[in-house]
Amino acid sequence: MRTSTAVTVIDPTVSEIELSGGERLSYNRLLIATGASPKRLSIAGSELAGIHYLRNVADADALRQVINTAIPVVVIGAGWIGAEVAASARQLGAEVALVELEPVPLKRVLGEEVGKIYRDLHAECEVKLHFGVGIESIRGTNKAEEVILSNGTTIATGVVVVSVGVAPRTELAQVAGLALDNGIVAEEYLASSVPGIFAAGDVANVLHPAYGQGIPLEHWSAALDQGPVAAKNMLGQNVAYHKVPFFYSDQYELGMGYRGWAPSFDEVVLRGDVTRRELIAFWMHHGKVAAAMNANIWDQGDSIEALISAGRLIDTGRLVDSDIDLANLVS
Ligand SMILES: Cc1cc2nc3c(=O)[nH]c(=O)nc-3n(C[C@H](O)[C@H](O)[C@H](O)COP(=O)(O)OP(=O)(O)OC[C@H]3O[C@@H](n4cnc5c(N)ncnc54)[C@H](O)[C@@H]3O)c2cc1C
């Protein structure tokens, strides 16, 4: 274990890596798990003090120190991290404005219909929503004091949190000549295009056998599950990574788990009580369940996963009926 040490070079021609102190180590098999880093804003004022990004514990500690009831917080981007930061800052009593290009939060994954559930939740919790609008600039004398939106609106602030997505940390892989495509391209055994080098977690774009392509999995469970699979393959066992994609999110009192992947879908079918936010949403594609989100319902995960994995045609009339056990639909 070498802590406080960066790998600066990977040289596949001699199977060696170089460390920040200059030392070289040889490898027989190598795993790259360098994660991702937040995309940065490049608008006028984006280098001012008081602008935060969130990736690691130090970032979280720094943000926690400055969030209080006296300083208005502006969160730029209502993806998972932005929406969760907005919720946490509100729960700490801060005044919060949330700015997002799309008309609802989390639209890229949830779509508009389910995104509205989260929009209404943040509105109820008195987050000031600025949706369907971009950022023009950030102004301030020594630190961020105002965020200017593209519609001319000015929002006073003291803390700006930028959460506009992440980029895989592929610098080492690029120099080493590995194939890249929004991450290190890896097949289902997590091997990269260069013999002996494997990739896992946020940095990897792993071919998923169920979808026939790599899918974006910048989530904790993929990182957790791919590690052991990579290790087994590095030891010569042939173990494919084929888990149903999964992630979770907690905002205020709304906890959810999301399984599957639905980049396109025909309809969203809702089961349960949307008003009480105790529901399961199913994203249907060609009559099959492509993805599902259980919100504040915690005992259906296995049945949901089985429904997705089965890949069968499902009668949506039975899917919405909470009296019918989901497990029966699978069988
Ligand atoms: C604020 C926040 C909230 C999140 N919330 C959720 C959530 O609710 N649910 C969920 O499913 N996922 C969530 N995620 C995503 C989840 O944390 C990531 O998917 C997961 O951490 C990815 O793990 P990883 O090991 O691939 O990368 P990382 O956790 O980023 O680890 C990569 C490590 O590699 C090190 N490294 C990088 N380059 C080098 C180098 N050259 N030399 C040596 N070391 C290097 C880094 O320092 C880092 O420690 C969240 C992420 C963030 C930032």
Side-chain angles (χ1 to χ4, degrees):
M1 170 77 87
R2 309 284 183 107
T3 53
S4 304
T5 306
V7 175
T8 51
V9 177
I10 297 170
D11 186 348
T13 59
V14 288
S15 296
E16 284 185 357
I17 60 167
E18 188 168 310
L19 306 182
S20 36
E23 186 186 353
R24 288 179 82 93
L25 301 175
S26 64
Y27 65 82
N28 185 254
R29 297 278 187 276
L30 180 74
L31 175 68
I32 305 183
T34 45
S37 47
K39 288 184 183 161
R40 304 195 68 92
L41 274 189
S42 57
I43 55 170
S46 53
E47 299 305 322
L48 284 166
I51 300 176
H52 293 253
Y53 293 83
L54 186 54
R55 181 70 197 179
N56 54 36
V57 175
D59 298 337
D61 286 345
L63 194 53
R64 178 65 190 85
Q65 275 183 11
V66 293
I67 290 185
N68 59 54
T69 52
I71 302 177
V73 176
V74 176
V75 180
I76 300 175
W80 298 108
I81 289 175
E84 288 184 7
V85 168
S88 294
R90 272 305 294 142
Q91 287 174 307
L92 291 166
E95 192 183 296
V96 178
L98 182 56
V99 186
E100 165 61 49
L101 278 173
E102 299 287 355
V104 296
L106 309 162
K107 179 161 176 265
R108 185 172 62 92
V109 175
L110 299 185
E112 204 145 336
E113 192 175 345
V114 180
K116 278 181 189 163
I117 296 174
Y118 279 92
R119 181 197 63 192
D120 295 347
L121 174 64
H122 282 278
E124 264 173 41
C125 295
E126 298 181 347
V127 172
K128 291 179 183 134
L129 304 178
H130 300 267
F131 285 173
V133 63
I135 305 287
E136 184 69 33
S137 61
I138 301 172
R139 287 194 203 138
T141 315
N142 295 314
K143 59 189 285 296
E145 288 163 3
E146 289 178 335
V147 174
I148 317 296
L149 307 188
S150 49
N151 62 9
T153 304
T154 299
I155 313 172
T157 188
V159 174
V160 177
V161 184
V162 181
S163 46
V164 294
V166 295
R169 295 178 74 169
T170 52
E171 302 85 348
L172 288 172
Q174 186 172 12
V175 175
L178 277 66
L180 303 179
D181 178 14
N182 193 27
I184 297 171
V185 175
E187 36 79 296
E188 63 206 275
Y189 300 96
L190 303 179
S192 76
S193 61
V194 171
I197 302 185
F198 294 72
D202 280 7
V203 76
N205 179 358
V206 180
L207 171 78
H208 196 297
Y211 303 103
Q213 64 179 100
I215 57 174
L217 282 180
E218 293 135 0
H219 291 297
W220 171 85
S221 70
L224 187 75
D225 295 335
Q226 286 177 356
V229 172
K232 286 176 183 162
N233 286 309
M234 292 166 80
L235 293 171
Q237 304 168 22
N238 278 339
V239 182
Y241 181 80
H242 52 65
K243 286 204 86 143
V244 172
F246 170 76
F247 68 89
Y248 58 88
S249 175
D250 295 310
Q251 296 170 44
Y252 311 100
E253 301 304 316
L254 178 55
M256 67 83 110
Y258 179 103
R259 289 172 175 80
W261 187 52
S264 57
F265 53 88
D266 309 314
E267 62 172 323
V268 181
V269 173
L270 300 176
R271 172 189 178 106
D273 190 333
V274 179
T275 322
R276 289 170 55 121
R277 298 191 183 101
E278 287 174 11
L279 69 141
I280 305 177
F282 299 92
W283 284 263
M284 305 299 295
H285 192 50
H286 296 163
K288 300 171 183 172
V289 177
M293 171 185 104
N294 52 303
N296 285 347
I297 292 178
W298 298 113
D299 55 352
Q300 304 286 311
D302 290 346
S303 299
I304 291 171
E305 189 163 322
L307 263 178
I308 295 167
S309 301
R312 297 223 192 105
L313 292 176
I314 301 284
D315 176 354
T316 54
R318 288 162 62 78
L319 209 49
V320 293
D321 185 347
S322 298
D323 290 335
I324 300 177
D325 194 339
L326 282 184
N328 290 340
L329 291 177
V330 183
S331 59

